[in-house]
Amino acid sequence: MSVTYRFATREDTGLILQFIRELAEYEKMLDQVVATEALLAEELFEKRHAEVLLALADGQAVGFALFFHNFSTFLGRSGIYLEDLYVRPEHRGKGLGKGLLRRLAQLALERGCGRLEWACLNWNRPSIDFYLSTGAQPMEDWTVYRLTGESLARMAKE
């Protein structure tokens, strides 16, 4: 099997949305996906708020990593935040996920970033085990907080 990685282009927008839906289904959150091809095309390829790497096996896209830059005030440097990492089930265990993570680590170093980080659902033991196997460490002293929907709108008005 020949494996390559490339940045997504606007023409990949439908595929990216399909991967997002497959990931959401795996995470039991498909009902929360409201993204559309038009919205993704605008955010990814016009506003450039995030980037996508595709994993290709024998030329066929079988996984993706969607990421963006964040900033650490303590490090005084940017970092890469991995929002989504997904490989289709039939292609798991072949090194594609690790390859995507490796490519992101390379990008982080090439871009002078101080770190690469992400979140993982607590119940997702296969992913947790995979991440631990790469040398990643959980941030046990931190809890992620989120404002969305009505709570986000309410906070914006206060």
Side-chain angles (χ1 to χ4, degrees):
M1 173 178 67
S2 167
V3 177
T4 56
Y5 302 92
R6 69 168 174 84
F7 282 99
T9 64
R10 179 182 288 279
E11 291 73 30
D12 296 310
T13 304
L15 174 65
I16 294 166
L17 182 56
Q18 184 178 345
F19 281 145
I20 290 169
R21 288 182 176 145
E22 290 175 24
L23 173 61
E25 186 171 12
Y26 171 76
E27 292 180 339
K28 301 167 183 61
M29 297 179 177
L30 186 56
D31 61 321
Q32 295 180 35
V33 176
V34 295
T36 64
E37 283 190 42
L39 184 58
L40 288 174
E42 178 182 350
E43 292 292 322
L44 296 174
F45 303 109
E46 290 174 32
K47 295 180 179 177
R48 301 197 149 318
H49 285 165
E51 299 175 71
V52 176
L53 274 176
L54 297 174
L56 294 91
D58 295 327
Q60 177 186 358
V62 297
F64 83 120
L66 188 145
F67 65 98
F68 53 89
H69 284 270
N70 57 13
F71 191 84
S72 168
T73 55
F74 287 13
L75 294 177
R77 299 166 78 183
S78 64
I80 288 181
Y81 186 84
L82 172 59
E83 178 67 24
D84 288 328
L85 176 69
Y86 176 76
V87 174
R88 288 188 166 144
E90 63 272 21
H91 294 280
R92 292 181 190 154
K94 300 176 183 177
L96 294 159
K98 192 170 195 174
L100 283 165
L101 210 52
R102 180 180 301 110
R103 186 65 191 115
L104 285 176
Q106 292 167 350
L107 281 173
L109 294 177
E110 289 168 11
R111 295 176 180 187
C113 296
R115 61 185 173 204
L116 168 60
E117 58 191 353
W118 60 91
C120 183
L121 291 165
N122 291 333
W123 61 259
N124 193 347
R125 194 75 231 174
S127 292
I128 292 168
D129 290 342
F130 164 65
Y131 294 138
L132 291 173
S133 77
T134 68
Q137 297 296 312
M139 301 286 297
E140 294 179 7
D141 292 337
W142 295 84
T143 300
V144 176
Y145 291 88
R146 177 178 291 163
L147 288 172
T148 187
E150 289 183 29
S151 60
L152 177 62
R154 187 171 52 254
M155 176 53 80
K157 291 179 184 177
E158 291 181 359

